[in-house]
Amino acid sequence: MTESVQTGSNVSIALLHYPVYDKNRQVVATAVTNLDLHDIARSAKTFGLFRYYVVTPVPEQRALAERIGRHWLEGWGSTYNPKRKAALELMRVVPGLDDVLHDLEDVYGRPAKIVMTGAQGRTGNISCADLVGLLRDFDQPYLLVFGTGWGLTEEAFARADLVLEPIKGPGDYNHLSVRSAAAIILDRLLGR
Amino acid sequence: MTESVQTGSNVSIALLHYPVYDKNRQVVATAVTNLDLHDIARSAKTFGLFRYYVVTPVPEQRALAERIGRHWLEGWGSTYNPKRKAALELMRVVPGLDDVLHDLEDVYGRPAKIVMTGAQGRTGNISCADLVGLLRDFDQPYLLVFGTGWGLTEEAFARADLVLEPIKGPGDYNHLSVRSAAAIILDRLLGR
C-alpha cells in the first residue's frame, strides 16, 4: 500500500459535548449541533480519517445525532446527496471517551494516543509539524479530541498523551469555531 | 508598521449566495445560513482580514443577515459574547459583487484582485503558496470569493483575476463545507 493511501488511516477525531466548560467555566454537557456533524464528517472524509466520534452522555442527544446520521445514510438523504452519506458513514455516536478508546483498541489492537486540542497554549504543546512526523507510524492509532462550548475541561486535558498547539493568526484573536479549527488542524496534519 | 501587523490587512473575503449552482446545475440564489456568518467572520478575524462581505441580491435575506449581525453588535449579544462582536464587526451585507468591488476601491484607491475559489481544478489555477507571495504587496487589495450551494457559476468565474487551487486531502473526496474550506484557505494564506 502506498503512503498516500494510508495517510490518515490511523487517525480518528472525537467531538466531546462533555466534559466542557460553559461561558462561566461551569462544567456542562452541550447540545449536539447539526452542522458540527456534517462539517466535521466532511473534513474527516476529505483528509482520510478512520472514524469521527460524536460523544455525549445524554441519551436524547445521542438519539438526535443518530437520527440525523440515519437520514443521510439510509433515508431519502442517501440518494439525494451521496457525498453526505460517504462522510457520515465515518460517524459513531457514543456516551463517553472511554467508549471511543475501547472501539479503537478493538480495531488496532493497541491503545490510541490521545491528542487534545484547545485555544489556549499549554506547557509542552506539540506543534502540528512534529505531530505530522508521529502520524507516519501507521500502526499507532491517534485520536484528535475537540471540545464544544468553551472548551475541554482540565479533567479532560488530564487524559491527554499530547496537547496540540493552538491555531493562531497574525493577531491575538483566536476564537475559531470548532468546525473551523478541526478543518485547519486536519489540513495541517494530513493535507498535501 | 511591522509585517505581522499588516498581514491580512489587504485581504477581504466575500461569500456569494448568487450566482451559484444548485444540485442540478441550475443558477440560484441560496439562503443565508446563520453559521456561515459566524464561522467565516471568526475565521476572518483570526487571520486579520479587512472585511467579510455577505453577498445576496435578495432583500429579505440581506435583512436577515443584518439582523443577525445587529444582535451581536448592538443588542444583548454584544455584552454576552464580545468575541462574536469583534468578528461580526468585519461583516458587510451587500447585493452584489460590484458593490464589494466599489467598496474596496473606495478604501484602497485601486481595484481589488478577484481570487475565486472552488472544489474543481481549473487550468491556470494559482497555488496557495504562490498567492502568499502576491499578498505581500500590501498596497494591492485582494478579494477571496467563495460560493454557497454547489459552487460559483461559470459566469462568476469569468470575472476572476486568479483562481485558487482546490483543497485536497489524500483521497478523491473533496466536499468540504464552505465554512471549512474558507478556514483552511485563510490558514494556508495567512496562518503562521
Short mmCIF file of all heavy atoms in Angstrom, two decimals, chain B residues 97-133:
data_model
loop_
_atom_site.label_atom_id
_atom_site.label_comp_id
_atom_site.label_asym_id
_atom_site.label_seq_id
_atom_site.Cartn_x
_atom_site.Cartn_y
_atom_site.Cartn_z
N LEU B 97 -21.54 41.50 -6.24
CA LEU B 97 -20.08 41.56 -6.27
C LEU B 97 -19.58 42.96 -6.62
O LEU B 97 -18.55 43.41 -6.09
CB LEU B 97 -19.55 40.52 -7.28
CG LEU B 97 -18.04 40.35 -7.40
CD1 LEU B 97 -17.40 40.00 -6.06
CD2 LEU B 97 -17.71 39.27 -8.43
N ASP B 98 -20.30 43.66 -7.49
CA ASP B 98 -19.88 45.02 -7.84
C ASP B 98 -19.87 45.94 -6.63
O ASP B 98 -19.02 46.82 -6.52
CB ASP B 98 -20.80 45.59 -8.93
CG ASP B 98 -20.51 44.96 -10.29
OD1 ASP B 98 -19.33 44.64 -10.56
OD2 ASP B 98 -21.45 44.78 -11.07
N ASP B 99 -20.82 45.74 -5.73
CA ASP B 99 -20.84 46.56 -4.51
C ASP B 99 -19.60 46.31 -3.66
O ASP B 99 -19.05 47.23 -3.06
CB ASP B 99 -22.10 46.25 -3.69
CG ASP B 99 -23.36 46.49 -4.50
OD1 ASP B 99 -23.71 47.65 -4.73
OD2 ASP B 99 -23.98 45.49 -4.92
N VAL B 100 -19.19 45.06 -3.61
CA VAL B 100 -17.97 44.72 -2.87
C VAL B 100 -16.77 45.44 -3.49
O VAL B 100 -15.96 46.07 -2.80
CB VAL B 100 -17.72 43.19 -2.89
CG1 VAL B 100 -16.41 42.87 -2.17
CG2 VAL B 100 -18.89 42.44 -2.28
N LEU B 101 -16.68 45.35 -4.82
CA LEU B 101 -15.52 45.92 -5.51
C LEU B 101 -15.48 47.44 -5.38
O LEU B 101 -14.42 48.03 -5.17
CB LEU B 101 -15.55 45.50 -6.98
CG LEU B 101 -15.41 43.98 -7.18
CD1 LEU B 101 -15.67 43.59 -8.62
CD2 LEU B 101 -14.04 43.48 -6.72
N HIS B 102 -16.65 48.08 -5.46
CA HIS B 102 -16.70 49.53 -5.27
C HIS B 102 -16.25 49.91 -3.87
O HIS B 102 -15.50 50.87 -3.68
CB HIS B 102 -18.12 50.06 -5.52
CG HIS B 102 -18.53 50.00 -6.95
ND1 HIS B 102 -19.82 49.80 -7.35
CD2 HIS B 102 -17.80 50.08 -8.09
CE1 HIS B 102 -19.89 49.77 -8.67
NE2 HIS B 102 -18.67 49.94 -9.15
N ASP B 103 -16.70 49.16 -2.90
CA ASP B 103 -16.33 49.45 -1.51
C ASP B 103 -14.81 49.35 -1.33
O ASP B 103 -14.18 50.23 -0.72
CB ASP B 103 -17.06 48.47 -0.57
CG ASP B 103 -16.92 48.86 0.90
OD1 ASP B 103 -17.21 50.03 1.22
OD2 ASP B 103 -16.52 48.01 1.70
N LEU B 104 -14.23 48.31 -1.87
CA LEU B 104 -12.79 48.11 -1.72
C LEU B 104 -12.01 49.19 -2.47
O LEU B 104 -10.98 49.69 -1.98
CB LEU B 104 -12.38 46.71 -2.19
CG LEU B 104 -12.85 45.57 -1.28
CD1 LEU B 104 -12.53 44.21 -1.92
CD2 LEU B 104 -12.21 45.67 0.11
N GLU B 105 -12.50 49.57 -3.64
CA GLU B 105 -11.78 50.61 -4.39
C GLU B 105 -11.86 51.95 -3.67
O GLU B 105 -10.88 52.72 -3.66
CB GLU B 105 -12.34 50.72 -5.82
CG GLU B 105 -11.47 51.60 -6.71
CD GLU B 105 -11.69 51.37 -8.20
OE1 GLU B 105 -12.45 50.45 -8.56
OE2 GLU B 105 -11.07 52.11 -8.99
N ASP B 106 -12.99 52.20 -3.02
CA ASP B 106 -13.11 53.42 -2.22
C ASP B 106 -12.04 53.45 -1.11
O ASP B 106 -11.47 54.49 -0.81
CB ASP B 106 -14.49 53.49 -1.55
CG ASP B 106 -15.56 54.03 -2.49
OD1 ASP B 106 -15.20 54.52 -3.58
OD2 ASP B 106 -16.75 53.94 -2.13
N VAL B 107 -11.80 52.32 -0.50
CA VAL B 107 -10.89 52.25 0.64
C VAL B 107 -9.43 52.29 0.20
O VAL B 107 -8.62 53.03 0.74
CB VAL B 107 -11.15 50.98 1.47
CG1 VAL B 107 -10.07 50.79 2.54
CG2 VAL B 107 -12.53 51.02 2.10
N TYR B 108 -9.11 51.48 -0.81
CA TYR B 108 -7.70 51.30 -1.17
C TYR B 108 -7.26 52.21 -2.32
O TYR B 108 -6.06 52.31 -2.61
CB TYR B 108 -7.43 49.85 -1.56
CG TYR B 108 -7.54 48.87 -0.41
CD1 TYR B 108 -8.73 48.21 -0.13
CD2 TYR B 108 -6.43 48.61 0.42
CE1 TYR B 108 -8.84 47.33 0.92
CE2 TYR B 108 -6.53 47.71 1.48
CZ TYR B 108 -7.74 47.07 1.71
OH TYR B 108 -7.84 46.18 2.76
N GLY B 109 -8.23 52.81 -3.04
CA GLY B 109 -7.88 53.68 -4.15
C GLY B 109 -7.44 52.95 -5.40
O GLY B 109 -6.91 53.57 -6.34
N ARG B 110 -7.63 51.65 -5.42
CA ARG B 110 -7.33 50.87 -6.63
C ARG B 110 -8.18 49.61 -6.62
O ARG B 110 -8.63 49.16 -5.55
CB ARG B 110 -5.85 50.54 -6.74
CG ARG B 110 -5.30 49.82 -5.54
CD ARG B 110 -3.78 49.85 -5.50
NE ARG B 110 -3.20 48.88 -6.42
CZ ARG B 110 -1.89 48.57 -6.42
NH1 ARG B 110 -1.06 49.16 -5.58
NH2 ARG B 110 -1.43 47.68 -7.26
N PRO B 111 -8.42 49.02 -7.79
CA PRO B 111 -9.31 47.85 -7.84
C PRO B 111 -8.69 46.64 -7.13
O PRO B 111 -7.48 46.43 -7.20
CB PRO B 111 -9.46 47.57 -9.34
CG PRO B 111 -8.97 48.79 -10.04
CD PRO B 111 -7.97 49.44 -9.13
N ALA B 112 -9.54 45.89 -6.47
CA ALA B 112 -9.09 44.64 -5.84
C ALA B 112 -8.89 43.56 -6.89
O ALA B 112 -9.59 43.53 -7.91
CB ALA B 112 -10.11 44.18 -4.81
N LYS B 113 -7.93 42.69 -6.67
CA LYS B 113 -7.78 41.49 -7.48
C LYS B 113 -8.78 40.45 -6.96
O LYS B 113 -8.84 40.18 -5.75
CB LYS B 113 -6.37 40.92 -7.37
CG LYS B 113 -5.30 41.85 -7.87
CD LYS B 113 -5.15 41.78 -9.37
CE LYS B 113 -3.89 42.53 -9.82
NZ LYS B 113 -3.93 42.86 -11.26
N ILE B 114 -9.53 39.86 -7.89
CA ILE B 114 -10.56 38.88 -7.52
C ILE B 114 -9.97 37.48 -7.58
O ILE B 114 -9.52 37.04 -8.64
CB ILE B 114 -11.76 38.98 -8.48
CG1 ILE B 114 -12.36 40.39 -8.46
CG2 ILE B 114 -12.81 37.93 -8.14
CD1 ILE B 114 -13.44 40.61 -9.50
N VAL B 115 -9.99 36.79 -6.45
CA VAL B 115 -9.49 35.41 -6.37
C VAL B 115 -10.67 34.50 -6.11
O VAL B 115 -11.24 34.49 -5.02
CB VAL B 115 -8.45 35.25 -5.24
CG1 VAL B 115 -7.87 33.83 -5.25
CG2 VAL B 115 -7.35 36.29 -5.35
N MET B 116 -11.07 33.75 -7.13
CA MET B 116 -12.21 32.84 -6.99
C MET B 116 -11.74 31.49 -6.43
O MET B 116 -10.62 31.05 -6.73
CB MET B 116 -12.88 32.61 -8.35
CG MET B 116 -13.47 33.84 -8.99
SD MET B 116 -15.06 34.28 -8.24
CE MET B 116 -15.51 35.72 -9.24
N THR B 117 -12.61 30.86 -5.67
CA THR B 117 -12.29 29.55 -5.10
C THR B 117 -13.36 28.54 -5.50
O THR B 117 -14.50 28.92 -5.78
CB THR B 117 -12.23 29.60 -3.57
OG1 THR B 117 -13.55 29.80 -3.06
CG2 THR B 117 -11.32 30.71 -3.07
N GLY B 118 -13.00 27.28 -5.51
CA GLY B 118 -13.97 26.24 -5.83
C GLY B 118 -13.36 24.87 -5.64
O GLY B 118 -12.14 24.74 -5.45
N ALA B 119 -14.20 23.86 -5.69
CA ALA B 119 -13.74 22.50 -5.43
C ALA B 119 -13.18 21.82 -6.68
O ALA B 119 -12.54 20.78 -6.59
CB ALA B 119 -14.89 21.66 -4.86
N GLN B 120 -13.41 22.44 -7.85
CA GLN B 120 -12.92 21.85 -9.10
C GLN B 120 -11.59 22.48 -9.49
O GLN B 120 -11.44 23.69 -9.42
CB GLN B 120 -13.92 22.09 -10.24
CG GLN B 120 -15.34 21.70 -9.93
CD GLN B 120 -15.47 20.24 -9.55
OE1 GLN B 120 -14.81 19.39 -10.14
NE2 GLN B 120 -16.29 19.95 -8.56
N GLY B 121 -10.67 21.66 -9.96
CA GLY B 121 -9.43 22.19 -10.51
C GLY B 121 -9.68 22.87 -11.85
O GLY B 121 -10.58 22.46 -12.58
N ARG B 122 -8.96 23.91 -12.15
CA ARG B 122 -9.10 24.62 -13.42
C ARG B 122 -7.72 24.93 -13.99
O ARG B 122 -6.77 25.11 -13.24
CB ARG B 122 -9.82 25.96 -13.19
CG ARG B 122 -11.30 25.80 -13.05
CD ARG B 122 -11.94 26.99 -12.37
NE ARG B 122 -13.34 26.68 -12.10
CZ ARG B 122 -14.33 26.99 -12.92
NH1 ARG B 122 -14.10 27.64 -14.03
NH2 ARG B 122 -15.57 26.66 -12.61
N THR B 123 -7.67 25.05 -15.28
CA THR B 123 -6.42 25.40 -15.95
C THR B 123 -5.94 26.76 -15.43
O THR B 123 -6.73 27.69 -15.32
CB THR B 123 -6.64 25.51 -17.48
OG1 THR B 123 -7.36 24.36 -17.90
CG2 THR B 123 -5.31 25.59 -18.20
N GLY B 124 -4.66 26.83 -15.11
CA GLY B 124 -4.10 28.10 -14.67
C GLY B 124 -4.37 28.44 -13.22
O GLY B 124 -4.16 29.58 -12.80
N ASN B 125 -4.86 27.47 -12.45
CA ASN B 125 -5.01 27.66 -11.01
C ASN B 125 -3.73 28.20 -10.39
O ASN B 125 -2.64 27.76 -10.75
CB ASN B 125 -5.23 26.30 -10.32
CG ASN B 125 -6.67 25.88 -10.29
OD1 ASN B 125 -7.56 26.70 -10.50
ND2 ASN B 125 -6.91 24.62 -10.01
N ILE B 126 -3.88 29.09 -9.41
CA ILE B 126 -2.72 29.51 -8.64
C ILE B 126 -2.69 28.70 -7.35
O ILE B 126 -3.74 28.39 -6.77
CB ILE B 126 -2.74 31.03 -8.36
CG1 ILE B 126 -1.42 31.47 -7.71
CG2 ILE B 126 -3.94 31.43 -7.50
CD1 ILE B 126 -1.28 32.97 -7.60
N SER B 127 -1.51 28.33 -6.89
CA SER B 127 -1.39 27.59 -5.64
C SER B 127 -1.45 28.57 -4.47
O SER B 127 -1.21 29.77 -4.62
CB SER B 127 -0.06 26.83 -5.60
OG SER B 127 1.00 27.75 -5.48
N CYS B 128 -1.80 28.03 -3.29
CA CYS B 128 -1.81 28.88 -2.09
C CYS B 128 -0.42 29.47 -1.87
O CYS B 128 -0.29 30.65 -1.52
CB CYS B 128 -2.25 28.06 -0.88
SG CYS B 128 -4.02 27.70 -0.87
N ALA B 129 0.62 28.67 -2.07
CA ALA B 129 1.99 29.15 -1.83
C ALA B 129 2.32 30.35 -2.73
O ALA B 129 2.91 31.34 -2.27
CB ALA B 129 2.98 28.02 -2.05
N ASP B 130 1.92 30.27 -3.99
CA ASP B 130 2.20 31.39 -4.89
C ASP B 130 1.37 32.62 -4.52
O ASP B 130 1.84 33.75 -4.61
CB ASP B 130 1.92 30.99 -6.34
CG ASP B 130 3.00 30.08 -6.89
OD1 ASP B 130 4.08 29.98 -6.28
OD2 ASP B 130 2.76 29.43 -7.93
N LEU B 131 0.13 32.40 -4.10
CA LEU B 131 -0.71 33.53 -3.70
C LEU B 131 -0.16 34.21 -2.45
O LEU B 131 -0.23 35.44 -2.32
CB LEU B 131 -2.16 33.08 -3.49
CG LEU B 131 -3.16 34.18 -3.17
CD1 LEU B 131 -3.16 35.30 -4.21
CD2 LEU B 131 -4.57 33.61 -3.04
N VAL B 132 0.42 33.44 -1.54
CA VAL B 132 1.04 34.03 -0.35
C VAL B 132 2.06 35.09 -0.76
O VAL B 132 2.13 36.18 -0.18
CB VAL B 132 1.73 32.94 0.51
CG1 VAL B 132 2.66 33.55 1.55
CG2 VAL B 132 0.67 32.08 1.20
N GLY B 133 2.83 34.78 -1.79
CA GLY B 133 3.83 35.75 -2.27
C GLY B 133 3.17 37.03 -2.77
O GLY B 133 3.61 38.14 -2.42
#
